[in-house]
Amino acid sequence: MPTKAKEKSGQLIRGFEPYKESKGEEYMGEPMRAHFTSILNKWKLELMQEVDRTVHHMQDEAANFPDPADRASQEEEFSLELRARDRERKLIKKIDETLQLIEDEDYGWCDSCGVEIGIRRLEARPTATLCIDCKTLAEIKEKQIGS
Ligand SMILES: [Zn+2]
């Protein structure tokens, strides 16, 4: 299903070299901040292109289908794409907030307990604001509230 692949692509970050720390390097010093700024900017660009593509795709396909069944399935596809786009927009906002954090030199520490989130975790999830422990805890709590 092409729509599913499209939904997923927003989550992927491609094409960056994992950061190599030099010995005794300061956590979130200038070079590290530059590294994450570039990852986030690249990611944002990809998302924006994705949003553009969706808009064009929908404009191209907006032709009228005479068959009601075709119309219904087209409408369903559109609503899926709109939802994917909405998610991408939110993600772009989140990326902008994260870029601001880096600028304020507030990036890379856990919002909840203050420890270093860690380069590898941030590379996997550059918008993370919690360390893995706090994140796990938050997810457990969320599940308990949900049930
Ligand atoms: Zn924490």
Side-chain angles (χ1 to χ4, degrees):
M1 261 182 76
T3 314
K4 209 152 203 169
K6 194 167 216 153
E7 275 184 349
K8 238 187 148 183
S9 67
Q11 314 294 323
L12 288 175
I13 311 162
R14 285 149 290 190
F16 71 86
E17 290 275 315
Y19 190 79
K20 285 195 191 71
E21 303 143 88
S22 36
K23 219 178 159 202
E25 185 179 336
E26 182 201 356
Y27 181 68
M28 284 303 152
E30 171 77 50
M32 239 182 250
R33 291 203 307 273
H35 173 68
F36 283 105
T37 302
S38 112
I39 291 178
L40 285 157
N41 277 325
K42 208 178 254 180
W43 189 15
K44 185 177 157 184
L45 201 70
E46 280 180 15
L47 285 169
M48 284 164 75
Q49 282 166 350
E50 188 75 25
V51 171
D52 265 6
R53 248 200 309 276
T54 314
V55 175
H56 287 139
H57 172 66
M58 285 173 70
Q59 282 166 347
D60 289 347
E61 285 203 4
N64 285 322
F65 287 108
D67 185 335
D70 285 347
R71 261 207 309 273
S73 79
Q74 192 200 24
E75 270 162 27
E76 197 186 311
E77 191 196 327
F78 277 10
S79 89
L80 276 173
E81 295 208 1
L82 282 173
R83 252 185 302 179
R85 227 171 96 198
D86 191 49
R87 257 203 311 275
E88 281 154 6
R89 283 224 178 90
K90 282 188 186 132
L91 207 49
I92 289 170
K93 190 165 168 276
K94 181 95 182 146
I95 290 172
D96 279 334
E97 288 165 5
T98 310
L99 284 165
Q100 186 60 48
L101 278 180
I102 296 179
E103 205 161 298
D104 298 341
E105 301 187 23
D106 242 348
Y107 177 70
W109 284 272
C110 177
D111 251 4
S112 174
C113 72
V115 302
E116 294 177 3
I117 294 175
I119 302 176
R120 296 289 97 87
R121 169 157 163 75
L122 287 170
E123 278 180 341
R125 204 170 250 281
T127 54
T129 54
L130 293 174
C131 71
I132 192 70
D133 290 344
C134 291
K135 178 71 187 166
T136 309
L137 215 67
E139 272 167 8
I140 292 169
K141 274 185 193 155
E142 208 166 289
K143 256 183 222 149
Q144 282 170 342
I145 293 166
S147 64

